[in-house]
């Protein structure tokens, strides 16, 4: 996936911490293969309160059509009012006119490998450079100090200060399931790798989630949700069932 260069500081539009020109930032975060895009798509289709009743109308305003579609290209995402990937954060912050309700999709693996550096200020960039190359080499991706710095650098971005409300929903799944889903999606022709590879991914998985949980407070979120698909096939958020028979209704049990 191509990541654009950090934005030129001279051309960056500056917003004070009190200039709340946007209303609601809805964040969906999780590891690669956690099912974030699928959950967003079907939550729109099934009218599920993924961000709670209070912010459900804001969530509905982020819908870009039927079915809900995500765009890899920033211009297409802006044009269609779609979900915005975390890698667009600098471009979003430089956008003069934005919809008041933004849904941002943050892949924790991409965040801890490169996006933290991409979004960081000069001070944090120097700290990151003292610890690792970018993208972060595989052997360092389970380093908790690096993960913490990458995540905190991203979450301190001034773009988030433009919102009246920030609501975070983190999608959880076990590391083996996420790894298998990711492999099936990205490399459908390949066989699932060894148990050794699964263990390596599990260490990375723990480090990225710990870093995310530790640093969410930097967003000063109005509400935090933790969502998972249960073994019974229901969708749960903050330990409450928000959609019964989720896997059946979405066809994910096939």
């Amino acid at each position: 996936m191509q990541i654009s260069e950090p934005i030129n500081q001279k051309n960056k539009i500056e917003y004070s911490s009190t200039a709340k020109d946007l209303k609601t930032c809805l964040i969906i975060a999780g590891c690669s293969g956690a099912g974030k895009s699928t959950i967003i798509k079907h939550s729109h289709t099934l009218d599920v309160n993924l961000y709670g009743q209070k912010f459900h109308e804001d969530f509905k305003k982020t819908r870009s059509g039927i079915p809900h579609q995500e765009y890899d290209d920033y211009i297409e995402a802006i044009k269609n009012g779609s979900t915005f990937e975390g890698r667009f954060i600098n471009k979003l912050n430089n956008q003069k006119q934005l919809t008041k309700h933004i849904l941002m999709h943050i892949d924790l693996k991409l965040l801890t490998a490169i996006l933290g550096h991409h979004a960081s200020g000069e001070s944090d960039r120097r700290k990151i450079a003292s610890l690792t190359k970018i993208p972060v080499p595989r052997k360092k991706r389970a380093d908790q100090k690096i993960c913490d710095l990458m995540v905190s650098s991203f979450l301190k971005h001034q773009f988030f200060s433009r919102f009246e409300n920030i609501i975070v929903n983190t999608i959880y799944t076990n590391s083996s399931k996420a790894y298998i889903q990711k492999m099936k999606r990205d490399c459908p022709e390949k066989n699932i790798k060894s148990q050794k590879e699964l263990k390596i991914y599990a260490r990375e998985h723990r480090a990225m989630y710990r870093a995310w949980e530790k640093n969410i407070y930097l967003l000063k979120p109005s509400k935090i949700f933790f969502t998972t698909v249960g073994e019974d096939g229901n969708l749960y958020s903050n330990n409450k069932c928000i959609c019964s028979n989720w896997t059946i209704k979405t066809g994910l049990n096939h």
Side-chain angles (χ1 to χ4, degrees), residues 108 111-112 143-152 155 205-216:
L108 296 185
L111 173 58
T112 54
D143 186 311
Q144 198 64 61
K145 186 175 182 179
I146 293 174
C147 285
D148 285 344
L149 184 53
M150 294 289 278
V151 172
S152 63
L155 297 183
H205 186 272
R206 286 193 296 271
M208 67 178 75
Y209 272 100
R210 284 172 182 165
W212 178 252
E213 292 165 0
K214 178 180 177 180
N215 290 286
I216 285 176

Side-chain angles (χ1 to χ4, degrees), residues 39 42 62 68 78 82 110 124 146 155 157 164 180 182-183 224-225 236 238 252:
I39 287 174
H42 290 294
T62 67
H68 182 81
I78 285 287
S82 178
L110 193 61
D124 282 341
I146 293 174
L155 297 183
H157 198 285
E164 293 179 14
I180 290 170
K182 181 180 184 301
M183 287 294 293
I224 296 175
F225 295 93
Y236 292 90
N238 292 4
L252 296 177

